[in-house]
Amino acid sequence: QVQLVESGGGLVQAGGSLRLSCAASGRTFVTYAMGWFRQAPGKEREFAAAISWSGGYTKYADSVKGRFTISRDNAKNTVYLQMNSLKPEDTAVYYCALLNRYLSPTGDWGQGTQVTVSS
């Protein structure tokens, strides 16, 4: 069993920045790729960013590319999402997830953290 706990969400004006954190415990964190997903009201959960177990490979959705940066610190069992130049359309609940080697969710999710971007 793995526990994922997100933090760092909040209310920010358009153009601002936030850094989300996801602390993992339980399963061997370093052996998994990790991802960030988001779900806006009335919409399906969508992929935002992913990072390999080593941190050497990252992948982004087109909607966040160039604005968001995913990183991880395996010594701290933590993955981060630095979000810059935020837009109102980035408003959503953000979830972190364990990913398999195909970068698909394993089914282990955090509880989510709310990000609200005002115009």
Side-chain angles (χ1 to χ4, degrees), residues 35-50:
W36 286 96
F37 293 73
R38 64 186 186 180
Q39 188 167 18
K43 295 187 177 181
E44 293 188 354
R45 193 171 299 186
E46 64 176 11
F47 168 78

Side-chain angles (χ1 to χ4, degrees), residues 22-45:
C22 174
S25 62
R27 202 174 294 171
T28 306
F29 173 78
V30 297
T31 64
Y32 285 89
M34 297 293 296
W36 286 96
F37 293 73
R38 64 186 186 180
Q39 188 167 18
K43 295 187 177 181
E44 293 188 354
R45 193 171 299 186

Side-chain angles (χ1 to χ4, degrees), residues 83-94:
M83 305 185 295
N84 298 329
S85 302
L86 283 162
K87 305 175 182 180
E89 51 263 44
D90 294 318
T91 295
V93 178
Y94 284 71

Side-chain angles (χ1 to χ4, degrees), residues 39-97:
Q39 188 167 18
K43 295 187 177 181
E44 293 188 354
R45 193 171 299 186
E46 64 176 11
F47 168 78
I51 188 167
S52 63
W53 69 270
S54 68
Y57 174 79
T58 57
K59 180 180 179 180
Y60 298 93
D62 288 343
S63 57
V64 308
K65 198 173 296 181
R67 301 186 298 121
F68 290 10
T69 302
I70 189 170
S71 62
R72 66 190 295 163
D73 184 340
N74 288 340
K76 296 182 178 180
N77 282 5
T78 301
V79 62
Y80 305 97
L81 187 67
Q82 177 66 44
M83 305 185 295
N84 298 329
S85 302
L86 283 162
K87 305 175 182 180
E89 51 263 44
D90 294 318
T91 295
V93 178
Y94 284 71
Y95 300 88
C96 68

